[in-house]
Amino acid sequence: MIDPVAKFPSELDQLPDRDTEETAEWAASLDAVAKAAGPHRAAYLMRRTLQHAEGAGLALPKLLETDYVNTIPSSAEPVIDGDEEMERRITAWNRWNAAAMVTRGSKYGVGGHIATFASAAWLYETGFNHFFRGKEGDGSGDQLYIQGHASPGIYARAFLDGRLTEAHLDKFRQESGGDGLPSYPHPRRLPWLWEFPTVSMGLGPLSAIYQARFNRYLTNRNIKDVSNSHVWAFLGDGEMDEPESTAALALAAREGLDNLTFVINCNLQRLDGPVRANFKIVQELEAQFRGAGWNVVKSLWGGAWDELFQLDTTGALVRRLREVPDAQVQTYQTRDAAYIREDFFGKDPALVAMAKLLSDDKILECFHLSRGGHEPRKVFAAYKTALSHKGAPTVILAQTVKGFTLGEGFASKNANHQMKKLTTDEFKNMRDLLELPISDAQFIDGVVPYGHPGADSPEVRYLQERRAALGGPAPARRSHAIEALPAPADKSFAAFDKGSGSQSMATTMAFVRLMKDLIRDKVTGKRWVPIVPDEARTFGMESLFPSLGIYSPKGQTYEPVDRDQLMYYREAKDGQILNEGITEAGSMADFIAASSAYATHGEAMIPFYIFYSMFGWQRTADQMWQLGDQLGRGFLVGATAGRTTLTGEGLQHADGHSPMIAATNPAAMSYDPAFAYEVAAIVKDGLRRMYGEAAPGEDQNVFYYLTVYNEPMPQPAKPAGIDEGIVKGLYRFNTAESAGVTVPVNASRIQLLGSGTAIHWALEAQKLLAAEWGVAADVWSATSWTELRRDALEADAALLRGEERTPFIRTALEGVDSPVLAVSDYMRQVPDQIAQWVEQDYSSLGADGFGLSDTREAARRHFGVDAQSIVVAALAQLAKRGEVPVTAVKEARERYGL
């Protein structure tokens, strides 16, 4: 008898055993089975016991791995409610046309992918025929995150049902003419078809999770009941290597998102070779998802394997399938029966005996053709199981063969992701395999023809009837105009026009105060979606907790520690704030879901995501591109902005470049406001453009990015007549004369352009220049270097078209005959964006290099952007022009200790 205490002392010390004799009997029984029937039988009994306990609701650790077999046995598969033969023919046409369009385009060198859809065809077709709800029925339909490399198959289906023509297919990856098809799912390029951009791998699964979560948010907040919408994310097994792919698995399980299904195409290959050459990716993913709390359905083997499993009376086959690494499974796909007999079956006497009962054809059918992801009955069963599972999201692990049906030259070859075409003979072999009525005569001059059974054929009628029953075409994006939201009361914005008097206020706080007022609006207030990654208190937003509530599907199941305080931490099922924890990526995924709700659900939502400036664009710029592609609208707010305003935080927190990164994104309206009234004016204009009545020619599908600062400063009153300048990027804040500084008659003059917090250094420099050097300085607020540059670029393009147009930067500075010195709390590249369009002498200052920990004053002196540094730079610029003595520059440096 085994002494369990001796074997597991540490565990049993912590878990007292009230019946050691019973425990010992269980251990002895297990030892007896292992001795009599072998360790594999003992392990099998343990797994079965754990499965039984889990099914009975006993609180035990979850079983993280099951055998390398299908979760749903053939005997339990439901009957498909459709014409299987008809669906086979439809899928054959789609396989053909997907391969044809890429091959035909290869002569132009534009690329394309054939093998991915070939492996995943039934994963999509089964969904389109039976599960994916369209947008013409009740609710919003389903949301489909299509794997980017499978796009040719989706285009092929749209061609079959009449949504695309041959001319469209022939413009695959050739978009410059205006009617081409984008390479991957790009809503901005094809907004009536694609909803979600997914080919920046890893962002699709992350976004799908937060989309499913946002659907619940809309329902729980009574904005719109979208409880019938299901989110389907189609992913590759190699894609799961991206950390974003699995970053939010726990969130999905924790919130019980049973409105979400991941379908992972496990063809065991990534772009260069096997995903887990020496291991098993399916088993790894199963453990990862089960450990995170997901329901896992494995669909690995096709019906041809049923006979083999029935012959496996000893469990040898299942054991062998568990131990064979993925790269060897890939090799079996390309080898003959003799090799498989020796290498796979020859490792165990029981398998040798089994192989004698199998013909070569049977072995090849199993190892070359029969995979769970290639058989509609297996896929149908997996999907139906996923939809019926409640309380947790489901992942379907479907094993396939990359390049399936494309012939021996493609199937399972390491290079097939880069292979862009089939030969004529390969197409003819594919035609025969798929039993398509395409004659040799249709191959004219070696060009593969597209195939179509006819607009009134049984196949097309069946396809369209199935889609009509499911609510219309899919994928599809609602591109109809959304009714404009009414503008909030003007008093919310005008509240900042008078300034703050002697009271100091940071622009971060100005933004938060503005949001508080806007969220109170009786009409549009409920549509605001505040998003913050566990930094609400940093940004002074804790006062929103009790009034708006923090969204949680469970509400508040505890008494918060600060319940007796005015600004206590309140969670609620209908909470408005999305407080995501420490995840900028998750917060951005939230923002993307909310920002495109106007199209996804026909409900315009106004998200604002406020984040630590440094950890927005630097960390999640790829998601900002995704946001632009998805035509999202809303406000991104980089708080605690700038390189020198964060006292003591140091190198990694000192943001000197985010506006430069933002400038690369065509959809980002990027602003660096200096004053509270500028913040209000920019937000007001953003609401008008994105959610109200946009001006002719304005693209509504943009998002606004504002940098706001944590440096409290007195906020001035708003000068008259500057609204256009605020929105377009530049206006004169004051002149030396209007500022009240005393300068000599005919004094040398310079224009100081400052953005964000830097304008305060410029204003101080204005005083120093007048008082100590007799120089007159006018101060300008550059609210957006980026918008000034874009306007200038558009003016340049107009000139090339023969149109006369003057850039706004030149119009604003018209009549100025003095030099210009620009300064910001960012690297010089930020203000230098406008340099080539400034007709006056131009120079700039900026905070280039790494940040550092110190006081604001010391940091600004270090980077040479403080008021005294501006004075020296201004004198140097004037000295070059002969307007001040050269000695003044040296004297100023020495006086200020520079």
Side-chain angles (χ1 to χ4, degrees), residues 25-45:
E25 289 174 356
W26 275 76
S29 297
L30 187 64
D31 282 350
V33 171
K35 183 176 181 180
H40 297 296
R41 176 61 181 170
Y44 174 84
L45 289 176

Side-chain angles (χ1 to χ4, degrees), residues 25-54 60 63 65-67 313-315 318-319 322:
E25 289 174 356
W26 275 76
S29 297
L30 187 64
D31 282 350
V33 171
K35 183 176 181 180
H40 297 296
R41 176 61 181 170
Y44 174 84
L45 289 176
M46 285 298 298
R47 286 198 300 274
R48 285 296 193 184
T49 301
L50 286 171
Q51 287 174 337
H52 178 79
E54 183 178 337
L60 290 175
L63 180 68
E65 278 190 43
T66 60
D67 284 318
T313 57
T314 66
V318 173
R319 291 197 301 273
R322 282 179 62 90

Side-chain angles (χ1 to χ4, degrees), residues 379-574:
V379 177
F380 184 90
Y383 286 5
K384 196 156 190 178
T385 298
L387 289 180
S388 64
H389 186 83
K390 300 303 177 185
T394 294
V395 59
I396 295 169
L397 303 174
Q399 185 165 262
T400 66
V401 174
K402 194 166 185 177
F404 189 66
T405 73
L406 297 180
E408 294 181 358
F410 264 84
S412 280
K413 295 301 173 67
N414 277 341
N416 61 19
H417 194 81
Q418 280 70 40
M419 296 163 68
K420 312 301 181 187
K421 59 184 178 179
L422 277 70
T423 65
T424 298
D425 287 342
E426 286 172 329
F427 265 113
K428 289 178 179 179
N429 290 335
M430 181 182 177
R431 170 200 62 189
D432 296 341
L433 175 66
L434 298 177
E435 300 177 347
L436 291 172
I438 297 173
S439 67
D440 288 355
Q442 290 177 262
F443 289 80
I444 301 173
D445 296 329
V447 177
V448 58
Y450 292 120
H452 200 294
D456 196 40
S457 64
E459 292 91 339
V460 172
R461 288 200 306 271
Y462 180 88
L463 181 155
Q464 294 175 342
E465 288 168 1
R466 297 300 300 183
R467 288 310 317 156
L470 287 166
R477 180 181 183 274
R478 283 183 173 151
S479 55
H480 59 264
I482 303 298
E483 183 178 353
L485 295 179
D490 195 57
K491 64 179 182 180
S492 297
F493 306 103
F496 298 92
D497 290 354
K498 294 181 181 180
S500 63
S502 60
Q503 181 182 1
S504 292
M505 178 171 60
T507 50
T508 295
M509 185 52 64
F511 178 82
V512 173
R513 287 187 185 179
L514 176 61
M515 290 303 106
K516 289 179 183 178
D517 285 344
L518 295 176
I519 290 171
R520 292 192 189 104
D521 186 89
K522 293 181 179 180
V523 179
T524 60
K526 67 178 182 179
R527 297 191 175 275
W528 285 91
V529 183
I531 302 168
V532 59
D534 198 39
E535 289 277 10
R537 298 181 193 277
T538 302
F539 309 135
M541 293 175 60
E542 64 269 28
S543 62
L544 298 178
F545 290 166
S547 58
L548 301 183
I550 300 165
Y551 172 73
S552 170
K554 288 184 175 292
Q556 193 150 41
T557 61
Y558 61 93
E559 182 177 355
V561 67
D562 53 2
R563 182 63 182 87
D564 58 343
Q565 298 179 16
L566 181 63
M567 294 185 288
Y568 70 97
Y569 197 84
R570 184 175 76 88
E571 298 187 72
K573 289 183 179 179
D574 61 350

Side-chain angles (χ1 to χ4, degrees), residues 727-751:
V727 172
K728 289 192 172 181
L730 183 69
Y731 68 93
R732 180 151 40 196
F733 176 71
N734 69 17
T735 63
E737 291 75 14
S738 66
V741 298
T742 302
V743 292
V745 178
N746 298 323
S748 298
R749 186 174 292 270
I750 191 166
Q751 308 299 312

Side-chain angles (χ1 to χ4, degrees), residues 527-820:
R527 297 191 175 275
W528 285 91
V529 183
I531 302 168
V532 59
D534 198 39
E535 289 277 10
R537 298 181 193 277
T538 302
F539 309 135
M541 293 175 60
E542 64 269 28
S543 62
L544 298 178
F545 290 166
S547 58
L548 301 183
I550 300 165
Y551 172 73
S552 170
K554 288 184 175 292
Q556 193 150 41
T557 61
Y558 61 93
E559 182 177 355
V561 67
D562 53 2
R563 182 63 182 87
D564 58 343
Q565 298 179 16
L566 181 63
M567 294 185 288
Y568 70 97
Y569 197 84
R570 184 175 76 88
E571 298 187 72
K573 289 183 179 179
D574 61 350
Q576 194 164 350
I577 301 170
L578 292 172
N579 190 313
E580 290 306 345
I582 305 174
T583 168
E584 280 83 10
S587 298
M588 266 306 300
D590 259 338
F591 186 90
I592 291 170
S595 71
S596 52
Y598 72 92
T600 309
H601 295 297
E603 295 287 345
M605 304 300 289
I606 313 173
F608 75 86
Y609 166 33
I610 186 167
F611 50 88
Y612 232 135
S613 177
M614 186 69 163
F615 304 125
W617 285 90
Q618 173 167 290
R619 189 170 287 186
T620 56
D622 194 16
Q623 288 177 286
M624 275 72 162
W625 274 97
Q626 179 190 10
L627 166 65
D629 194 348
Q630 199 164 311
L631 310 177
R633 305 172 186 175
F635 296 93
L636 295 177
V637 184
T640 60
R643 178 147 280 165
T644 68
T645 61
L646 274 175
T647 55
E649 289 287 354
L651 182 151
Q652 198 172 0
H653 284 65
D655 181 13
H657 52 270
S658 285
M660 201 66 245
I661 305 175
T664 66
N665 191 313
M669 305 291 293
S670 180
Y671 289 91
D672 187 25
F675 304 122
Y677 64 77
E678 292 178 355
V679 172
I682 293 164
V683 171
K684 181 179 180 180
D685 184 70
L687 289 172
R688 174 200 60 79
R689 177 169 178 172
M690 295 185 291
Y691 298 97
E693 299 294 340
E698 277 188 325
D699 183 5
Q700 281 191 286
N701 298 315
V702 295
F703 58 92
Y704 278 60
Y705 167 55
L706 287 76
T707 51
V708 292
Y709 296 81
N710 68 327
E711 186 171 14
M713 301 293 288
Q715 296 297 324
K718 180 180 179 182
I722 63 168
D723 288 283
E724 180 186 29
I726 291 175
V727 172
K728 289 192 172 181
L730 183 69
Y731 68 93
R732 180 151 40 196
F733 176 71
N734 69 17
T735 63
E737 291 75 14
S738 66
V741 298
T742 302
V743 292
V745 178
N746 298 323
S748 298
R749 186 174 292 270
I750 191 166
Q751 308 299 312
L752 302 180
L753 278 57
S755 68
T757 198
I759 202 168
H760 300 288
W761 322 330
L763 289 169
E764 186 180 349
Q766 180 187 52
K767 297 176 183 177
L768 290 173
L769 283 166
E772 301 184 11
W773 306 100
V775 171
D778 301 336
V779 175
W780 300 66
S781 179
T783 55
S784 179
W785 310 102
T786 300
E787 293 312 307
L788 290 171
R789 174 180 173 80
R790 284 183 180 155
D791 172 79
L793 288 171
E794 290 171 7
D796 285 354
L799 286 173
L800 293 176
R801 297 192 299 266
E803 304 169 14
E804 289 293 331
R805 181 174 166 187
T806 303
F808 180 78
I809 180 65
R810 287 185 181 163
T811 301
L813 293 173
E814 187 176 4
V816 171
D817 60 1
S818 52
V820 173

Side-chain angles (χ1 to χ4, degrees), residues 296-356:
V296 179
V297 176
K298 293 197 288 192
S299 183
L300 308 180
W301 308 109
W305 282 82
D306 288 347
E307 179 183 343
L308 275 67
F309 288 125
Q310 289 171 2
L311 293 172
D312 186 29
T313 57
T314 66
L317 176 62
V318 173
R319 291 197 301 273
R320 182 66 177 138
L321 289 175
R322 282 179 62 90
E323 69 188 23
V324 174
D326 283 351
Q328 192 63 20
V329 173
Q330 181 185 348
T331 298
Y332 293 149
Q333 179 68 31
T334 64
R335 299 301 177 92
D336 59 19
Y339 178 88
I340 297 171
R341 283 182 187 276
E342 178 180 353
D343 191 86
F344 181 83
F345 292 97
K347 305 297 183 181
D348 187 295
L351 294 180
V352 171
M354 179 189 295
K356 292 178 180 179

